[in-house]
Amino acid sequence: MRCTSLKHWALYSAPLLLVLAVLWFGFASEGDVAAFFRNHREAHAGLRLFMKIVTDWCNPLFYLIYAGMLLTAWRTGKRERLRFVLVLLVVQGVVAGLAVHFTKYLIGRPRPGNGPWYEPLSGRAAQEALPSGHTTEITGWTLPLALRLSRLAVTALLGLFIALVGFSRIYLGWHHPSDVFFGWLLGSVGGFAAVIIADSSLFRRS
């Protein structure tokens, strides 16, 4: 793995990790975090609506971006870009789809406001907090772009974007900060995997 990739990953991850650090060290517990933002969103309807738009449309935005990249690569015959997008789609299906849902189901962590008790294998949405699927998915979409483009400005902007998405999940009361952290971690694994596989000799014509 190139040192440059690690540097971009660090820059990309810094805004979200900073937000999480502030929440972890600024509150006595994750329950206090949930209570604070519950009261805050009740008093700030406009901000609550903005966060809901962010959380609802962040991933669909990248569906459109990658659909456009896939169509353009297919029409222009750019095999490298086509391979990259196809590999990313498969990895996202495995990591942000199967792995996330299996982990949520297996762990059964309650979402904020749903009590302290874990209920593994319950299959109830209220017991599927860990990890944050939205954070896993948005990290899986954006990290490969940051690593492939290797432009500091793009990396920083994408990092700010995932920090906003991750924070929106906490603000709206869907996830604890640690859920978002593990979503970022799992999404990072998927993002690196997509880039490494796409750049490898797999699926290349000899």
Side-chain angles (χ1 to χ4, degrees):
M1 187 180 299
R2 294 177 301 172
C3 183
T4 302
S5 296
L6 294 178
K7 289 180 179 178
H8 277 273
W9 181 50
L11 175 61
Y12 165 89
S13 303
L16 177 59
L17 294 182
L18 179 60
V19 169
L20 296 178
V22 169
L23 296 178
W24 277 324
F25 293 108
F27 292 85
S29 69
E30 291 191 315
D32 290 343
V33 174
F36 175 82
F37 286 118
R38 181 173 61 248
N39 294 331
H40 194 277
R41 63 178 177 267
E42 289 175 357
H44 299 83
L47 183 57
R48 183 177 69 244
L49 176 60
F50 172 72
M51 289 296 178
K52 193 171 187 312
I53 292 171
V54 169
T55 209
D56 286 345
W57 292 101
C58 59
N59 285 308
L61 171 64
F62 281 88
Y63 301 164
L64 295 176
I65 291 173
Y66 280 105
M69 288 177 62
L70 185 65
L71 182 61
T72 301
W74 179 69
R75 284 182 171 177
T76 59
K78 295 182 178 179
R79 292 180 179 175
E80 184 178 356
R81 180 177 295 181
L82 183 63
R83 180 174 55 253
F84 164 68
V85 177
L86 291 175
V87 168
L88 178 57
L89 292 176
V90 173
V91 171
Q92 280 285 74
V94 173
V95 175
L98 296 177
V100 165
H101 290 294
F102 175 76
T103 305
K104 285 175 177 283
Y105 179 71
L106 184 64
I107 295 175
R109 186 186 192 186
R111 294 184 187 273
N114 286 279
W117 306 110
Y118 284 58
E119 293 183 17
L121 312 180
S122 72
R124 297 194 302 117
Q127 300 294 141
E128 295 185 345
L130 181 64
S132 166
H134 278 68
T135 308
T136 303
E137 188 175 349
I138 199 63
T139 303
W141 289 130
T142 55
L143 179 57
L145 286 179
L147 297 179
R148 283 179 65 87
L149 294 175
S150 294
R151 296 176 183 172
L152 292 177
V154 174
T155 299
L157 286 174
L158 291 174
L160 291 171
F161 184 70
I162 68 156
L164 178 61
V165 174
F167 177 70
S168 76
R169 302 304 291 164
I170 299 167
Y171 184 86
L172 293 170
W174 286 104
H175 288 287
H176 306 280
S178 55
D179 302 332
V180 171
F181 173 80
F182 284 106
W184 159 80
L185 196 60
L186 186 58
S188 293
V189 171
F192 272 111
V195 172
I196 291 171
I197 294 171
D199 289 345
S200 72
S201 58
L202 292 173
F203 315 118
R204 292 179 183 269
R205 291 182 179 179
S206 57

